[in-house]
């Protein structure tokens, strides 16, 4: 909040906060100060992802009609115990929030709008 009070725009990485209430407070503070508040997901800027994004835009694979993902990550229990928030359910602990989120985001980023368009009228 001190950034907004200082008149600064804010760009944060996922997650911007550990609860929806905190995020709502941040959004409200940005709006009140008429400043920009954004959240980036770092996987989108990887060179390989950008290459795939460009190939999809150029329709090098043809029209993308369907997309899915398969997450092969493994994290030992020690990883989840390495920070106090990682294993706490109220902070959204677990594979979906901490890891699979990136794959869900990439599906939306790479194929989302193209896969949802329908030619039916």
């Amino acid at each position: 909040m001190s950034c907004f009070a200082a008149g600064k725009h804010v760009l944060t990485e996922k997650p911007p906060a550990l609860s929806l209430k905190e995020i709502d407070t941040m959004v409200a503070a940005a709006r009140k100060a008429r400043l920009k508040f954004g959240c980036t997901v770092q996987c989108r800027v990887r060179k390989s992802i950008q290459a795939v994004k460009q190939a999809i835009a150029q329709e090098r694979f043809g029209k993308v009609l369907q997309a899915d993902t398969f997450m092969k990550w493994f994290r030992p229990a020690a990883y989840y115990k390495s920070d106090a928030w990682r294993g706490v359910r109220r902070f959204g602990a677990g594979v979906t929030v901490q890891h699979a989120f990136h794959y869900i985001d990439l599906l939306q980023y790479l194929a989302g709008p193209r896969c949802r368009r329908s030619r039916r009228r």
Side-chain angles (χ1 to χ4, degrees):
M1 303 314 178
S2 58
C3 292
F4 299 128
K8 304 292 183 184
H9 299 291
V10 173
L11 180 62
T12 184
E13 276 193 65
K14 168 251 174 213
L18 295 177
S19 75
L20 182 57
K21 183 177 179 180
E22 290 174 294
I23 295 170
D24 287 343
T25 301
M26 295 163 90
V27 169
R31 286 183 178 154
K32 183 178 178 183
R34 295 184 177 197
L35 294 167
K36 294 180 181 178
F37 173 58
C39 181
T40 185
V41 184
Q42 70 273 21
C43 291
R44 290 184 178 198
V45 297
R46 291 180 180 157
K47 287 182 183 181
S48 58
I49 298 300
Q50 288 301 303
V52 171
K53 176 85 170 164
Q54 185 177 18
I56 291 171
Q58 295 169 347
E59 295 189 350
R60 287 177 38 207
F61 306 125
K63 288 199 183 274
V64 177
L65 301 175
Q66 182 177 345
D68 64 9
T69 185
F70 182 77
M71 190 177 91
K72 297 180 181 182
W73 292 12
F74 171 78
R75 299 280 192 189
Y79 171 84
Y80 293 100
K81 294 177 182 178
S82 66
D83 288 309
W85 64 270
R86 291 185 196 259
V88 180
R89 185 177 298 275
R90 75 174 188 266
F91 294 143
V95 171
T96 302
V97 172
Q98 292 178 7
H99 310 301
F101 171 88
H102 294 285
Y103 287 75
I104 295 165
D105 175 68
L106 288 175
L107 277 173
Q108 172 62 35
Y109 178 63
L110 295 171
R114 284 176 172 72
C115 289
R116 281 185 272 160
R117 272 191 222 138
S118 174
R119 295 210 181 257
R120 285 188 245 160
R121 294 184 188 219

